[in-house]
Amino acid sequence: MHRARPTGSTAGEDGPDAAAGPVHPVRRVPSWAVRDDEDPPGVPAGPPPGTPAPEGLGRKVRSAARWSLVNTVVMRLGNFATGIVLARFALGPAAWGVYGLAQTVLLVLLSANELGVSLAIIRWEGDARRFAPTVLSLSVLSSTALYVALFAVAPAVAHALGSPDATAVLRVMCLCVVLDGISQVPAGFLTREFAQGRRMVIDAANFVISTGVTLLLAFAGRGAMSFAWGSVAGNVAALIGFCLAAPGTLRFGWNPDQARALLRFGLPLAGASMLALGVVNVDTLVVGATLGKVSLGFYVLAFNISGWPVRIISEAARRVSFAGFSRLADTPRALAQGFSRALGVLVTGTVPLCVLLAALAAPVVRLVYGSQWVPAAKALPWLMALGLIRIGCELAYDCLVAVGRRSSLIGVQALWLGALFPVLLFAARTHGIVGVSQGHVLVAGGMVVPVFVYALRRAGIGPGWIARACAWPFLGGAVMTVTIMALRDRLGESRPALVTIGSAALAVYVLCVLPSRHFLRGTAPTTTTPR
């Protein structure tokens, strides 16, 4: 599960799921782009369908994935440590609630601030520098207009969301919308080139500056405003870094034919992004409006914790998954094998962390954040289950958009959001933050997963490929759960006991998933095709 924006380059990646740390808005590789048959005017068409992928593609993807994993792990650990310091010594639940609301509004704006046109830098074939100036002009114009509108309506938005004191935070934090619009083109070139090593340096500068400003202001008593100014400072650093890493890409220009083609390409994606952000962030809006900012603070922290394993594993993969799936889109069997293996790696790495945090929610929250945050633990087991579901849905979305199933996926997002809002509203009023978490799992597991399985089957990836990826990790997770429950009854919840329980559970899990090691490495025989 993630509260990151679904497209692009410089904002919102470390939203309320950022391990309870300050926001360091650097967007990830696009996950909502689609294959498009229309190249911009004046740009050579790409290779014909069925053309084999370049020989060096696998090497590029593997290298980018390694750098991306290192980058994600380092940033998440940094956010985790910063979040502990802030939650224990500087900020209470109310401040976290205001921050959660402001960040949610920011992410919604970022879902469409550049009208989806920046994805053409990554997706369209040919020389991207020929249409990049038009992309930059569209992106900056739309981002600036959106920020001006937000500035005007910020008081009304804050009041409607149950936090009138969030107006100033909204106006400052959403400056990231404009910075993001400027950064789209240089960041897109880095993604296009699989330049995750350079991206890691930029993210590190973003993190150091954003965290330093946030901590300084938080301990000076600035409350939620510390997150806002930290976000802006980090985005300025990221913008400078992107321009240095991709020199010559920050050039404005205008070609009417290109602009029309870009808008035809991007506007449907912007709509899909807004629907996706609605799915991911509607719970924050519901909790804030119905339960108040203190309950929202507890919910945001629980959501943050549930994002630890999901974001570390998933973000690293999704920085390269769309580009990789796009290259395999015209080879159905290779696409099915690639998706199955990617899903297997993600689920295998995520299940043990989800099980540990779900089964040991209360002692982990008390140990890490202090006793004042224990109410957040009640929602955590359900949010861990949700995170595990969403990691599969996100990868499926990346795969399906890479093969061009745009309209059906927009329909899935609309259906998801339409079902989720009334369920969460009812659940919040009857069972508080626990009910909201349960409602999320009910809708995602009961409705959305079957829809994605059906869509994947139509794309040539049958349930057998999915079962092959998930069977051993799910078995290991079940055995882990039994082990944790048995040992917890005997050993209690002291720190040594938690270390012992966690170590034993992980050892059991490794033994359970060991038979799948050849499949995860890509060395398993592929003589049969799962159905």
Side-chain angles (χ1 to χ4, degrees), residues 352 355-361 363-364 476 479-510:
V355 170
L356 283 174
L357 289 173
L360 300 173
V364 167
V479 175
M480 271 190 77
T481 302
V482 173
T483 302
I484 291 172
M485 295 297 101
L487 291 178
R488 185 176 176 181
D489 290 340
R490 291 176 176 270
L491 301 179
E493 297 180 355
S494 65
R495 293 184 183 183
L498 292 178
V499 172
T500 301
I501 293 170
S503 300
L506 288 174
V508 168
Y509 179 79
V510 170

Side-chain angles (χ1 to χ4, degrees), residues 29-31 61 194 314-328 342 346 394-395 398-399 402:
V29 168
S31 52
V61 172
F194 295 96
S314 178
E315 281 180 8
R318 298 189 75 203
R319 285 180 184 268
V320 296
S321 63
F322 174 74
F325 289 147
S326 294
R327 268 59 167 195
L328 300 174
L346 289 177
E394 289 173 356
L395 190 71
D398 285 349
C399 181

Side-chain angles (χ1 to χ4, degrees), residues 92-330:
W96 284 105
V98 172
Y99 156 64
L101 288 174
Q103 179 66 357
T104 298
V105 173
L106 171 62
L107 294 178
V108 171
L109 296 181
L110 289 173
S111 67
N113 70 311
E114 35 70 69
L115 305 179
V117 298
S118 66
L119 297 177
I121 297 293
I122 303 163
R123 182 63 190 94
W124 278 351
E125 301 289 347
D127 183 5
R129 291 180 183 269
R130 297 188 64 177
F131 57 90
T134 305
V135 173
L136 182 62
S137 297
L138 281 169
S139 179
V140 173
L141 286 172
S142 60
S143 298
T144 303
L146 199 58
Y147 176 74
V148 171
L150 178 279
F151 190 92
V153 302
V157 171
H159 186 270
L161 296 178
S163 252
D165 53 342
T167 298
V169 178
L170 279 172
R171 286 173 166 170
V172 173
M173 185 174 285
C174 289
L175 284 169
C176 297
V177 171
V178 179
L179 295 170
D180 177 77
I182 300 172
S183 300
Q184 286 303 296
V185 169
F189 275 97
L190 294 185
T191 298
R192 184 184 179 100
E193 298 167 5
F194 295 96
Q196 292 300 320
R198 282 176 279 172
R199 181 64 180 265
M200 180 175 177
V201 175
I202 296 169
D203 287 354
N206 184 339
F207 171 78
V208 170
I209 293 174
S210 176
T211 300
V213 172
T214 300
L215 288 173
L216 183 65
L217 294 178
F219 281 98
R222 296 298 301 275
M225 186 62 78
S226 59
F227 289 115
W229 284 116
S231 300
V232 172
N235 269 261
V236 171
L239 173 59
I240 295 171
F242 282 127
C243 294
L244 293 176
T249 59
L250 202 63
R251 294 190 302 109
F252 290 90
W254 188 258
N255 182 306
D257 293 333
Q258 290 179 359
R260 284 190 289 270
L262 287 165
L263 289 173
R264 284 196 297 271
F265 170 82
L267 286 176
L269 306 183
S273 293
M274 292 192 72
L275 287 172
L277 260 294
V279 169
V280 176
N281 293 283
V282 66
D283 52 354
T284 298
L285 303 180
V286 168
V287 173
T290 59
L291 302 177
K293 60 186 178 183
V294 174
S295 292
L296 178 59
F298 290 128
Y299 182 79
V300 168
L301 188 84
F303 209 111
N304 293 344
I305 299 172
S306 73
W308 295 350
V310 176
R311 297 274 53 84
I312 287 177
I313 305 295
S314 178
E315 281 180 8
R318 298 189 75 203
R319 285 180 184 268
V320 296
S321 63
F322 174 74
F325 289 147
S326 294
R327 268 59 167 195
L328 300 174
D330 296 313

